[in-house]
């Protein structure tokens, strides 16, 4: 049964350049979007940028430019990242765009009954864009940003989250919102059960130096960046403007799935569903949370100088190898590590030797024998789904997101073919004797290529291409790495 599926990646802050963690999330979403589309589902995949954060204002000031000019420049770099990684997002939403601003204001109006103003004193970390309780961290220093929490006294609008206590308990307990992995759901549930506090959803416009989204009917206040950022998932679909896509892919979707890192699940699993429920809008059905990538065993940080640049990786190893590393080596829902040593190992062993050599030598022998494979004559193996075809049953994206095991099993097939190659020794046989064997290998490779396409689109589609039609000798898929 064909399903309508909305798939969203989180929207990164644009106060700095993208790092490998951003590329990782995009690649995961992309693999999932491509898998679901190739299985015949109707998928809309959104991405975008979180531009109204206070830290953008601070970074622009440091860089000596206007906030708008600063974010414009950074947004272009994130868009380049999506292109470089061949991410197949259908929509890109900027939170400084008029469409987004309009949608946020509409959502606010719809929640009016749960919004009230009060004076507030709190400890704020600009890095996290979050208030923390006094004593939550030793010496009130934020461990994520290593900076002292600022005392902020101001009049803010609050969202009555406490009213949604039992709604959220039920949502998480009943798994109407499915969370993967399950222990993240338990974490959220424990947090909810401790008792929910109302949270601030605005701040004085003076503190944001005018940057941000004005509160409807009160120009002295701007929306709190998380209230505005979360709303991107519906403004990306035109909520508040031309709502055709919103009606189809939010209200009308069978699955509404967010993909986010482990540090921001509270916002997605608690605040966001309550905001939607308050406004009378449908809530997400799935929340997939991934872990963090470390750099050669250490947390990435500017101070340590070990931040991995996703553009550099592609320059050095190519896009296929980079996507392979991210999907094959980093566990889908746990932390994982990136190191050049491991990359070089995987590149040489799995990509150049196991897969690349197999395709090259198959094509070389088949070309010598003048083999020609009409498209239709490849038996249609089960995994071969480059063309969309309707599938039976409703997919649970959380079940198919285990791309790591899918990739491992594809490599087991590659290894098997290599073994059978070495046992049969086609090069030592006469052309007529080896024809059946070579046809079978070509067909298996075409199948592997199409199964690989959602993960490594370039190389997957290329394998299908070179194993179909008149077979020609090819240049190596994975050339030897130069030091
Ligand atoms: N702007 C917010 C998200 C708003 S969504 C409505 C934000 N931005 S971020 O730039 O800090 O993070 C964007 C995504 O990258 C998040 O899902 C975050 O968890 C993820 N990652 C940040 N560092 C990461 C790693 N080192 N490794 C993997 N993912 C990481 O949070």
């Amino acid at each position: 049964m064909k399903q309508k599926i909305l798939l969203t990646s989180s929207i990164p802050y644009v106060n700095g350049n993208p790092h490998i963690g951003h590329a990782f999330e995009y690649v995961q979403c992309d693999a999932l979007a491509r898998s679901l589309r190739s299985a015949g589902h109707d998928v809309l995949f959104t991405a975008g940028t979180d531009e109204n954060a206070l830290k953008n204002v601070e970074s622009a000031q440091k860089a000596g430019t206007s906030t708008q000019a600063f974010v414009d420049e950074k947004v272009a770099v994130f868009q380049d990242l999506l292109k470089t990684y061949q991410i197949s997002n259908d929509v890109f939403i900027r939170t400084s765009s008029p469409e987004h601003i309009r949608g946020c204001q509409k959502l606010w109006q719809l929640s009016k009954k749960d919004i009230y103003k009060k004076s507030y004193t709190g400890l704020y970390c600009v890095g996290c864009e979050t208030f923390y309780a006094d004593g939550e961290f030793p010496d009130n220093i934020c461990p994520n940003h290593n900076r002292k929490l600022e005392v902020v006294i101001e009049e803010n609008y609050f969202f009555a989250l406490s009213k949604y206590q039992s709604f959220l308990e039920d949502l998480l307990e009943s798994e109407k919102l499915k969370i993967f992995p399950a222990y993240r759901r338990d974490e959220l549930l424990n947090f909810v059960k401790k008792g929910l506090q109302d949270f601030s959803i605005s701040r004085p416009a003076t503190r944001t130096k005018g940057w941000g989204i004005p509160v409807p009917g009160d120009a002295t206040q701007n929306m709190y960046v998380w209230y505005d950022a979360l709303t991107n998932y519906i403004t990306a679909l035109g909520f508040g403007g031309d709502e055709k896509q919103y009606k189809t892919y939010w209200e009308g979707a069978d699955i509404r799935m967010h993909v986010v890192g482990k540090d921001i699940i509270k916002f997605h699993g608690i605040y966001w569903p309550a905001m939607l429920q308050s406004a009378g809008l449908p809530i997400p059905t799935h929340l997939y949370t991934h872990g963090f990538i470390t750099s050669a065993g250490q947390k990435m940080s500017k101070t340590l100088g070990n931040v991995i640049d996703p553009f550099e990786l592609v320059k050095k190893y190519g896009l296929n190898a980079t996507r392979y590393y991210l999907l094959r080596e980093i566990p889908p829902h746990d932390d994982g590590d990136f190191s050049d040593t491991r990359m070089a190992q995987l590149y040489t062993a799995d990509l150049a030797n196991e897969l690349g050599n197999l395709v090259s030598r198959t094509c070389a022998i088949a070309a010598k024998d003048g083999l020609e494979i009409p498209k239709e004559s490849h038996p249609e193996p089960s995994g071969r789904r480059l063309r969309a075809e309707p599938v039976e049953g409703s997919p649970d994206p959380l079940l198919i997101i285990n791309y790591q095991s899918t990739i491992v099993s594809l490599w087991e097939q590659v290894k098997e073919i290599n073994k059978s190659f070495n046992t049969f020794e086609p090069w030592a046989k006469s052309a007529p004797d080896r024809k059946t064997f070579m046809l079978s290998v070509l067909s298996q490779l075409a199948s592997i290529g199409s199964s690989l396409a959602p993960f490594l689109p370039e190389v997957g589609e290329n394998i299908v291409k070179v194993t179909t039609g008149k077979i020609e000798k090819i240049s190596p898929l994975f050339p030897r790495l130069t030091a």
Side-chain angles (χ1 to χ4, degrees):
M1 214 175 40
K2 188 168 159 168
Q3 304 267 303
K4 265 199 182 29
I5 301 173
L6 174 73
L7 180 68
T8 72
S9 50
S10 76
I11 52 167
Y13 295 123
V14 290
N15 61 318
N17 282 333
H19 55 65
I20 188 64
H22 297 123
F24 175 52
E25 186 171 302
Y26 287 146
V27 169
Q28 288 185 308
C29 284
D30 185 59
L32 184 58
R34 287 177 187 265
S35 302
L36 289 165
R37 284 192 200 111
S38 69
H41 299 291
D42 177 6
V43 179
L44 192 94
F45 166 20
T46 72
T49 36
D50 190 351
E51 301 177 31
N52 299 321
L54 206 51
K55 52 184 152 188
N56 295 338
V57 181
E58 283 190 346
S59 300
Q61 261 174 345
K62 266 189 215 144
T65 61
S66 73
T67 313
Q68 188 65 60
F70 180 83
V71 297
D72 286 350
E73 196 189 306
K74 291 294 177 203
V75 169
V77 184
F78 276 89
Q79 285 175 329
D80 189 23
L81 180 72
L82 289 162
K83 206 165 139 215
T84 304
Y85 276 74
Q86 295 188 355
I87 305 302
S88 63
N89 57 302
D90 302 286
V91 179
F92 187 88
I93 180 81
R94 293 188 56 174
T95 61
S96 65
S97 66
E99 301 84 80
H100 176 73
I101 294 173
R102 193 174 48 203
C104 285
Q105 292 179 332
K106 176 171 172 180
L107 186 72
W108 184 289
Q109 304 278 22
L110 290 174
S111 282
K112 264 267 146 97
K113 64 173 183 354
D114 291 324
I115 296 176
Y116 63 94
K117 208 171 183 183
K118 81 164 186 195
S119 171
Y120 182 73
T121 306
L123 289 171
Y124 197 75
C125 169
V126 178
C128 303
E129 300 281 0
T130 303
F131 282 103
Y132 290 104
D134 194 11
E136 192 161 339
F137 306 126
D139 299 326
N140 285 336
I141 292 173
C142 166
N144 302 323
H145 297 93
N146 203 22
R147 63 193 274 177
K148 188 115 184 144
L149 301 175
E150 289 169 38
V151 179
V152 171
I153 308 169
E154 57 192 27
E155 256 216 328
N156 289 346
Y157 285 98
F158 275 72
F159 178 81
L161 185 67
S162 53
K163 276 200 200 166
Y164 292 89
Q165 176 80 33
S166 57
F167 162 75
L168 288 165
E169 276 182 32
D170 174 60
L171 182 73
L172 296 169
E173 250 156 17
S174 65
E175 298 207 54
K176 275 181 223 143
L177 170 60
K178 287 191 190 172
I179 299 181
F180 178 85
Y183 63 83
R184 298 274 178 219
R185 179 200 75 136
D186 300 341
E187 271 172 34
L188 287 181
L189 198 54
N190 286 341
F191 180 84
V192 172
K193 284 191 165 157
K194 279 190 207 140
L196 291 169
Q197 307 277 324
D198 297 351
F199 70 102
S200 158
I201 56 167
S202 78
R203 52 201 166 187
T206 44
R207 191 150 75 81
T208 64
K209 303 185 178 60
W211 187 249
I213 303 184
V215 165
D218 186 351
T220 67
Q221 292 271 322
N222 277 347
M223 288 182 198
Y224 167 53
V225 67
W226 271 103
Y227 186 90
D228 123 40
L230 289 163
T231 311
N232 94 86
Y233 299 127
I234 53 178
T235 56
L237 310 175
F239 178 77
D242 171 5
E243 295 196 339
K244 208 167 138 245
Q245 265 193 340
Y246 166 76
K247 296 267 180 238
T248 311
Y249 290 101
W250 190 267
E251 288 189 352
D254 301 293
I255 289 170
R256 291 174 287 275
M257 172 162 172
H258 300 309
V259 173
V260 302
K262 63 178 182 180
D263 55 331
I264 55 175
I265 54 174
K266 195 172 84 181
F267 298 101
H268 288 80
I270 297 177
Y271 290 18
W272 178 228
M275 285 162 59
L276 289 163
Q277 179 73 4
S278 160
L281 307 180
I283 50 173
T285 58
H286 292 71
L287 177 59
Y288 166 76
T289 68
H290 60 80
F292 267 37
I293 301 188
T294 51
S295 169
Q298 282 183 305
K299 191 177 169 197
M300 277 191 286
S301 93
K302 281 189 192 145
T303 342
L304 287 176
N306 65 352
V307 177
I308 301 164
D309 178 342
F311 295 105
E312 284 302 314
L313 278 190
V314 172
K315 263 194 220 139
K316 207 161 157 191
Y317 302 107
L319 178 62
N320 293 300
T322 305
R323 285 183 61 127
Y324 182 76
Y325 192 110
L326 294 176
L327 295 169
R328 160 71 179 78
E329 191 63 8
I330 311 290
H333 52 82
D334 218 335
D335 294 347
D337 189 50
F338 179 87
S339 75
D340 282 300
T341 318
R342 182 68 183 140
M343 172 58 120
Q345 273 170 1
L346 287 174
Y347 188 99
T348 305
D350 293 15
L351 298 172
N353 291 349
E354 288 286 359
L355 181 67
N357 279 352
L358 175 62
V359 180
S360 291
R361 57 184 181 161
T362 302
C363 288
I365 297 174
K368 213 166 88 192
D369 292 349
L371 291 189
E372 201 166 331
I373 320 280
K375 225 175 172 183
E376 319 68 64
S377 80
H378 269 320
E380 195 77 19
S382 59
R384 188 156 188 220
R385 289 216 188 108
L386 268 189
R387 278 166 282 121
E389 51 194 60
V391 291
E392 292 305 314
S394 119
D396 189 335
L398 296 183
L399 296 178
I400 59 169
I401 201 150
N402 203 345
Y403 38 74
Q404 194 181 37
S405 62
T406 309
I407 294 177
V408 168
S409 81
L410 281 175
W411 253 261
E412 271 157 19
Q413 288 174 43
V414 169
K415 277 192 189 138
E416 279 308 307
I417 306 174
N418 270 320
K419 252 195 235 153
S420 71
F421 225 92
N422 293 339
T423 316
F424 185 75
E425 298 186 333
W427 54 88
K429 304 269 184 339
S430 70
D433 283 351
R434 68 185 167 214
K435 189 171 176 192
T436 318
F437 176 81
M438 291 309 296
L439 287 179
S440 150
V441 171
L442 284 163
S443 156
Q444 291 178 69
L445 286 179
S447 161
I448 288 172
S450 71
S451 302
L452 200 55
F455 312 108
L456 314 184
E458 241 173 30
V459 87
E461 284 162 24
N462 194 21
I463 292 174
V464 176
K465 198 169 122 221
V466 301
T467 54
T468 312
K470 187 166 171 11
I471 310 297
E472 315 259 4
K473 255 186 99 166
I474 57 163
S475 44
L477 296 181
F478 295 94
R480 197 174 288 275
L481 283 179
T482 47

